[in-house]
Amino acid sequence: MGRLEGKVAIVTGAASGLGAADARLMAAEGAKIVLTDVNAELGERTAAEIDGAIFVKHDVRSEADWRNVLDKTLTHFGRLDVLVNNAGLVQFGTVEDTTLEQFRLHNAVMSEGTFLGCKYAIPVMAKTGGGSIINVSSIAAIRGNSPVLAYTAAKGAILSMTRSIALHCQEKNYRIRCNCILPGAHATPMTAAAIAALGGAAAGIEQIQQHGQGRPEDVGNLVVFLASDESRYITGAEIVIDNGETSR
């Protein structure tokens, strides 16, 4: 049997990049996957490549969409064991350049989207005996990166929120773990766009040039571990996966 046999997982932002890798690797270990994304065309194609997976169009900023995702998950699979809050975006701007609208957009998608996912998933998981929530932050949450002010703020909120959610679930005896992954540079469409837009002088680009990028599967393997019962004693943790970038 696979490491995730019998488990049902929702992965947001799963049409491509890290989310798609998470979905594929969890499915390979036996999980049933609900992929969600705002990009319905790409999301449907990705889901079609994963045996038994379904796709639901989903704007993580919307409470109604979150209710719909949970309803479809329960209707189709009857339970929920794993939530991967992966959906995100990045637009470039320093504290002086970033507009209020840009700042609010980043926080609506990543901070509020993660909050809503946890808020609606926790009661469902609690009814079926517990589960694992995996929030995807970034090393931008723990180091400065001036060209992406709004992104760093939203990712920092995810990191802080994770700790409080983990403690809440323990206090309620829900048997739900909540952990946070902080990736560095990985070869995804978002990273490629950032390299093209920022150029060689930006923070983090030198790291990529000297030490390369991780593969989406590197993060996906960590997601599989945190989703599995192998990580049953890990909650409230922040796990950096950046090839030593934050140590340099």
Side-chain angles (χ1 to χ4, degrees), residues 21-98:
D22 297 343
R24 290 189 178 99
L25 288 171
M26 286 196 291
E29 291 292 343
K32 298 299 183 184
I33 308 296
V34 179
L35 296 86
T36 85
D37 206 289
V38 292
N39 188 334
E41 182 179 356
L42 184 55
E44 292 280 10
R45 289 206 306 266
T46 303
E49 298 168 356
I50 300 173
D51 187 39
I54 64 170
F55 173 78
V56 182
K57 187 175 181 181
H58 181 200
D59 183 340
V60 295
R61 300 171 293 177
S62 166
E63 285 194 85
D65 276 15
W66 271 109
R67 294 188 189 102
N68 181 53
V69 168
L70 268 297
D71 286 345
K72 281 186 165 53
T73 300
L74 293 177
T75 297
H76 205 85
F77 294 119
R79 61 184 297 118
L80 175 65
D81 304 282
V82 180
L83 170 63
V84 183
N85 282 308
N86 170 75
L89 80 157
V90 62
Q91 295 176 347
F92 305 104
T94 67
V95 66
E96 294 185 88
D97 302 329
T98 300

Side-chain angles (χ1 to χ4, degrees), residues 1-35:
M1 293 179 66
R3 296 158 70 194
L4 302 179
E5 196 73 33
K7 295 186 185 295
V8 176
I10 294 171
V11 185
T12 69
S16 63
L18 298 183
D22 297 343
R24 290 189 178 99
L25 288 171
M26 286 196 291
E29 291 292 343
K32 298 299 183 184
I33 308 296
V34 179
L35 296 86

Side-chain angles (χ1 to χ4, degrees), residues 184-196:
H186 289 77
T188 67
M190 183 182 291
T191 302
I195 294 170

Side-chain angles (χ1 to χ4, degrees), residues 109-173:
V109 171
M110 291 181 281
S111 178
E112 292 180 17
T114 298
F115 156 69
L116 288 172
C118 295
K119 176 179 176 64
Y120 285 103
I122 284 171
V124 174
M125 288 182 175
K127 287 180 182 178
T128 52
S132 174
I133 296 172
I134 303 160
N135 294 330
V136 181
S137 180
S138 166
I139 59 169
I142 55 174
R143 62 177 295 179
N145 200 335
S146 63
V148 286
L149 180 279
Y151 179 82
T152 62
K155 289 299 191 180
I158 292 171
L159 175 58
S160 296
M161 197 187 322
T162 297
R163 301 185 187 107
S164 295
I165 292 166
L167 291 177
H168 169 78
C169 291
Q170 278 196 332
E171 290 159 2
K172 293 291 186 178
N173 295 315

